Structures are given as C-alpha cells and as structure tokens.
Amino acid sequence: MKTVQLADNVYWVGAVDWLLRDFHGYSTARGSSYNAYLILDEKVTLIDTVKKPYKSEMMHHIRNIIDPQKIDYLVVNHVEMDHSGSLPEVVEEIRPEKIICSKMGHKALLQHFHRPDWPYEVMGSGDEMKIGKRTLSFLETRMLHWPDSMFTYLKEDEILFSNDAFGEHLATSERFDDEVDPCVLMQEAAKYYANILLPYSPLVKKLLEQVREMRLPIRMLAPDHGVIWRSDPGRIIDAYARWSAGETNGRALVIYDTMWQSTRMMAKAVAAGLGEEGVEYTLLDLQANHRSDVMTAVLEASALALGSATLNNGLVPDMADFCMYMKGLRPAGKIGAAFGSYGWSGEAVKIMNEFLKDIKATVCHEGLRVQYVPEHEQLGRCVELGRVMGRAVKATQAGEKVESVL
Ligand code: FEO
C-alpha cells in the first residue's frame, strides 16, 4: 500500500470513514476522515489516533512504515472519541513511553478511560519536547472546541497539527488540498466551521492573533479531519479570520417551516420584498434542508427571516429544532425578523423573536402574523417586511448602524 508522506519521515496514518452520515446532528453527507500522523525520529511519535472501529486501519498504515511497538510517544491533541476511541487498545498494543497531552487533556483522559496508571506527560503552551533531530512545540487551544484541545507544532518541518481546527468532514482518496475540488473543499470547511467552531469565534480570533504574533512559519496545516493544507495553508487561515470576525455577504436567508402552505406563501412574499430592494436571498424550507446545511448558509449571511406556523402554542417541530440548534451555535451580527401563520393562538412569531434576541440579532421588524391563509393585502405586508429587511441589509453593508425595534 502506498504511504502518504507529508515530509521526510513524517506520514499520515489515519483512516477514512466513507460511511459517516451524522456527527451528533451535523449531516456529514461526504463522510469524514480521522487523521493520525507518524513521525520517525529517535523517539518515534504518533500524533492522535482514530475512532474505535478504525483502529486496525490505522495500525495497518503504521505497520507499512514501522513496527508499531517502536512507537515511543503518543500525542493526544484532543480527547473527543473520534480521535481517542481507539486509545485504550492502541496504548495496550504499543505501550508508549509517554502519552503527551494538555493539562485539561490529562483530566479528560482520566474521566474517559479511568487509567491513572498511563504514562502521562502534561504540556502547556510554549512547552517544547525534543524527539531527536526534531522538536515538538505545544499550544493549548482551550475550548477550540473542547477544554482539552491543543495544537502540536513540528518546528523543523514547519507543520502544525491542528486537531479539529481547519478540518472538514470529507472522505476522499486524496490527502492534500491541491488534490481535491477547491469549491467542495471550501464548502465543507465552511460547514465544519459553522456547525462546530462558530460559538467559539472570539477564541478563534484570539488564537489567530496569537499565532500571528508568534510568527510561526506554517508550511503545512495538518488537521484531524479532511485534507492536509500543503499548497495554500493561508487560504483556510484567511477564511477562519473572516468567519471568526463575523464578516457577512449581504445575502438574506428566508428560513421557514409550514403546515398548510400559508407560511410558505408568506416566505415567498418576504423574499419578493428583499428582491425589490436588490438584496439577494435564499429560501430555505426546513422540510427540504438539513439544519446543518442551513447553518452553513447562516455563517456568512447578513439577515435571517424566520417563518413558522403556530402548532400547539409553539413552533412547528423543524423550526423548533433549528432555533435550538442555531441558538447553541450563536451566529453573531445578524439582522432578523419573524413571520408566520396561525389558527387561533399564534405564539410562533413571539417565540422566534425571542430566539433572535437570544443570538443578539438586530431585529428590524416587530414581526408579522397572519390568521389562517394570507390574502393579497396581507401578502403585501410580508413584501413590506422583506423591503424593511432589505434596507437594513444595505445599510449595514454600507457601514451604517441599524437599531433593533425590539
Ligand atoms: Fe473531531 Fe472534537 O472531534
């Protein structure tokens, strides 16, 4: 089997998961990979492991290069089970001299595997370890996206092993950024950011500043999911800078769920109003679009018009699901408004307004309710809501401040 080499004596030895379709609520239509890396030096070092069912695949890749018993150090950059699920079996098999992790990683490893007898070596930000001719340097990245997360930098080869950060859920036979379709790659990278890292954007921003100040030369970025950025690591770093800064694209999303088509009619009228103001929009019916794809669109969108009928004094289930999911991911700096049809009580608009306030959106319209089926004049008011939102989008794109009406 062909080995995958990043640099002289530095190899990819992970596993590709062609089957993964759900990552706790995030639809992974293109599968994923669990990347692990092997460095051959005086101290043979394995960086990260893989999800439990993929352990033999990783060991197979290692065996193609070296006898796994020769591995001395095992670096655990992140304890989440997609990277550490196979750890107990791997430790049993290779019996490493050191298991290197962050302080929080040590705590999390104990809480996951209950093995105080393992040979832990705790590393903090700035700590270095010689493994022979090469040096590993560590950077704690707490809450990116777990408390235990850290990066490992291979100084001499200028490779940053960044764990989840800069990754994508993307199963491919290719291992490097220059070997895959760049549009697919950036789409999956954006989806990964929107659905995993978005709530930690202030920390991403801080981390990028820290890395910039450290003047770390990065020849290659090697995350634990998807491809290795070797041709242009700056491309994904720049994208992270934009996403973490909350840069928006001037587009509005009309996200809705409907019972008997009334809210859909309202959604189309809101979209027409946006169009009249020259604002580009996307209609996203939650019955036809997965929550994680909608979140990917939310990442760079300027405005969110949320529409739901009222069902049993609440939201229609797909909108309730989406609002809870979005609230946890905390997209910042959006313009928002709510609309929906109802039969007799009509709480949906009020509930969606509360969700918009929870994510600190600038609510540009107090919201619009229509009883049962909208007629011409009521659809006209939906068009007006779209126009109001469109004007707010244009104003914010021009750098003007828009005040919330709620
Ligand atoms: Fe890829 Fe946070 O695990």
Short mmCIF file of all heavy atoms in Angstrom, two decimals, residues 127-148:
data_model
loop_
_atom_site.label_atom_id
_atom_site.label_comp_id
_atom_site.label_asym_id
_atom_site.label_seq_id
_atom_site.Cartn_x
_atom_site.Cartn_y
_atom_site.Cartn_z
N ASP A 127 5.56 25.00 25.75
CA ASP A 127 6.46 23.90 26.13
C ASP A 127 6.96 23.18 24.87
O ASP A 127 6.23 23.06 23.88
CB ASP A 127 5.75 22.87 27.03
CG ASP A 127 5.50 23.43 28.42
OD1 ASP A 127 6.08 24.48 28.74
OD2 ASP A 127 4.74 22.80 29.18
N GLU A 128 8.20 22.72 24.97
CA GLU A 128 8.79 22.02 23.82
C GLU A 128 9.33 20.67 24.26
O GLU A 128 9.65 20.46 25.42
CB GLU A 128 9.94 22.84 23.23
CG GLU A 128 9.46 24.12 22.60
CD GLU A 128 10.52 24.81 21.76
OE1 GLU A 128 11.71 24.46 21.89
OE2 GLU A 128 10.15 25.67 20.95
N MET A 129 9.44 19.76 23.31
CA MET A 129 9.99 18.43 23.60
C MET A 129 10.84 17.98 22.41
O MET A 129 10.36 17.96 21.28
CB MET A 129 8.85 17.46 23.85
CG MET A 129 9.33 16.07 24.20
SD MET A 129 7.95 14.97 24.50
CE MET A 129 7.52 15.43 26.15
N LYS A 130 12.08 17.63 22.67
CA LYS A 130 12.95 17.11 21.60
C LYS A 130 12.60 15.64 21.39
O LYS A 130 12.44 14.89 22.36
CB LYS A 130 14.42 17.20 22.03
CG LYS A 130 15.00 18.60 22.08
CD LYS A 130 15.07 19.31 20.75
CE LYS A 130 16.20 18.84 19.86
NZ LYS A 130 16.23 19.63 18.59
N ILE A 131 12.48 15.25 20.14
CA ILE A 131 12.23 13.82 19.88
C ILE A 131 13.40 13.24 19.05
O ILE A 131 13.26 12.20 18.44
CB ILE A 131 10.87 13.59 19.16
CG1 ILE A 131 10.77 14.40 17.86
CG2 ILE A 131 9.71 13.91 20.09
CD1 ILE A 131 9.57 14.00 16.99
N GLY A 132 14.51 13.94 19.06
CA GLY A 132 15.67 13.54 18.27
C GLY A 132 16.15 14.77 17.55
O GLY A 132 16.39 15.81 18.17
N LYS A 133 16.18 14.68 16.22
CA LYS A 133 16.58 15.87 15.45
C LYS A 133 15.46 16.90 15.45
O LYS A 133 15.66 18.07 15.14
CB LYS A 133 16.87 15.46 14.01
CG LYS A 133 18.14 14.63 13.84
CD LYS A 133 18.52 14.59 12.35
CE LYS A 133 19.58 13.56 12.07
NZ LYS A 133 19.04 12.17 11.96
N ARG A 134 14.29 16.44 15.76
CA ARG A 134 13.13 17.32 15.66
C ARG A 134 12.63 17.78 17.04
O ARG A 134 12.89 17.13 18.05
CB ARG A 134 12.00 16.62 14.92
CG ARG A 134 12.25 16.35 13.47
CD ARG A 134 11.07 15.59 12.91
NE ARG A 134 11.21 15.36 11.48
CZ ARG A 134 11.95 14.41 10.94
NH1 ARG A 134 12.65 13.59 11.71
NH2 ARG A 134 12.01 14.26 9.63
N THR A 135 11.83 18.84 16.98
CA THR A 135 11.27 19.41 18.22
C THR A 135 9.76 19.55 18.07
O THR A 135 9.28 20.06 17.06
CB THR A 135 11.84 20.83 18.47
OG1 THR A 135 13.23 20.80 18.17
CG2 THR A 135 11.59 21.30 19.89
N LEU A 136 9.05 19.13 19.09
CA LEU A 136 7.61 19.37 19.13
C LEU A 136 7.36 20.54 20.06
O LEU A 136 7.94 20.62 21.14
CB LEU A 136 6.86 18.15 19.67
CG LEU A 136 6.97 16.84 18.90
CD1 LEU A 136 6.19 15.74 19.61
CD2 LEU A 136 6.48 17.00 17.46
N SER A 137 6.48 21.43 19.62
CA SER A 137 6.13 22.58 20.46
C SER A 137 4.61 22.54 20.63
O SER A 137 3.88 22.18 19.69
CB SER A 137 6.62 23.82 19.73
OG SER A 137 6.06 24.95 20.28
N PHE A 138 4.13 22.92 21.81
CA PHE A 138 2.70 22.73 22.09
C PHE A 138 2.00 24.07 22.33
O PHE A 138 2.60 25.01 22.86
CB PHE A 138 2.53 21.81 23.30
CG PHE A 138 3.21 20.48 23.09
CD1 PHE A 138 4.51 20.26 23.53
CD2 PHE A 138 2.57 19.47 22.37
CE1 PHE A 138 5.16 19.05 23.29
CE2 PHE A 138 3.21 18.27 22.13
CZ PHE A 138 4.51 18.06 22.59
N LEU A 139 0.75 24.11 21.94
CA LEU A 139 -0.07 25.31 22.12
C LEU A 139 -1.45 24.87 22.57
O LEU A 139 -2.17 24.20 21.83
CB LEU A 139 -0.15 26.07 20.78
CG LEU A 139 -0.98 27.34 20.76
CD1 LEU A 139 -0.41 28.41 21.67
CD2 LEU A 139 -1.06 27.90 19.32
N GLU A 140 -1.79 25.23 23.81
CA GLU A 140 -3.14 24.87 24.30
C GLU A 140 -4.17 25.71 23.55
O GLU A 140 -3.99 26.91 23.39
CB GLU A 140 -3.25 25.14 25.79
CG GLU A 140 -2.48 24.14 26.64
CD GLU A 140 -2.58 24.48 28.11
OE1 GLU A 140 -3.56 24.07 28.73
OE2 GLU A 140 -1.67 25.17 28.58
N THR A 141 -5.24 25.08 23.13
CA THR A 141 -6.31 25.80 22.42
C THR A 141 -7.64 25.50 23.11
O THR A 141 -8.56 24.98 22.50
CB THR A 141 -6.35 25.40 20.93
OG1 THR A 141 -6.52 23.97 20.86
CG2 THR A 141 -5.09 25.77 20.21
N ARG A 142 -7.67 25.82 24.40
CA ARG A 142 -8.86 25.51 25.21
C ARG A 142 -10.15 26.00 24.57
O ARG A 142 -10.21 27.13 24.09
CB ARG A 142 -8.74 26.18 26.59
CG ARG A 142 -7.85 25.38 27.51
CD ARG A 142 -7.92 25.90 28.93
NE ARG A 142 -6.80 25.34 29.66
CZ ARG A 142 -6.63 25.42 30.95
NH1 ARG A 142 -7.52 26.06 31.67
NH2 ARG A 142 -5.60 24.87 31.54
N MET A 143 -11.14 25.15 24.57
CA MET A 143 -12.47 25.42 24.00
C MET A 143 -12.46 25.58 22.48
O MET A 143 -13.39 26.11 21.91
CB MET A 143 -13.15 26.63 24.66
CG MET A 143 -13.46 26.44 26.14
SD MET A 143 -14.09 24.80 26.59
CE MET A 143 -15.63 24.70 25.68
N LEU A 144 -11.40 25.09 21.85
CA LEU A 144 -11.43 25.01 20.37
C LEU A 144 -11.26 23.57 19.98
O LEU A 144 -10.21 23.18 19.51
CB LEU A 144 -10.32 25.86 19.75
CG LEU A 144 -10.53 27.36 19.81
CD1 LEU A 144 -9.36 28.10 19.27
CD2 LEU A 144 -11.78 27.74 19.03
N HIS A 145 -12.24 22.79 20.19
CA HIS A 145 -13.52 23.19 20.71
C HIS A 145 -13.89 22.51 22.03
O HIS A 145 -15.03 22.65 22.50
CB HIS A 145 -14.62 22.92 19.66
CG HIS A 145 -14.84 21.45 19.40
ND1 HIS A 145 -16.08 20.87 19.52
CD2 HIS A 145 -14.01 20.47 19.08
CE1 HIS A 145 -15.98 19.58 19.24
NE2 HIS A 145 -14.74 19.32 18.97
N TRP A 146 -12.94 21.81 22.63
CA TRP A 146 -13.14 21.24 23.95
C TRP A 146 -12.08 21.82 24.89
O TRP A 146 -11.05 22.32 24.41
CB TRP A 146 -12.99 19.70 23.90
CG TRP A 146 -14.23 18.94 23.51
CD1 TRP A 146 -15.30 19.40 22.82
CD2 TRP A 146 -14.51 17.56 23.82
NE1 TRP A 146 -16.24 18.40 22.66
CE2 TRP A 146 -15.78 17.25 23.27
CE3 TRP A 146 -13.82 16.55 24.49
CZ2 TRP A 146 -16.37 15.99 23.38
CZ3 TRP A 146 -14.42 15.28 24.60
CH2 TRP A 146 -15.68 15.02 24.05
N PRO A 147 -12.28 21.69 26.20
CA PRO A 147 -11.27 22.26 27.13
C PRO A 147 -9.88 21.65 26.94
O PRO A 147 -8.87 22.29 27.22
CB PRO A 147 -11.82 21.90 28.52
CG PRO A 147 -13.27 21.61 28.32
CD PRO A 147 -13.43 21.11 26.91
N ASP A 148 -9.82 20.40 26.48
CA ASP A 148 -8.54 19.68 26.38
C ASP A 148 -7.76 19.97 25.09
O ASP A 148 -6.60 19.55 24.96
CB ASP A 148 -8.82 18.17 26.42
CG ASP A 148 -9.82 17.76 25.36
OD1 ASP A 148 -9.40 17.47 24.22
OD2 ASP A 148 -11.02 17.76 25.64
#
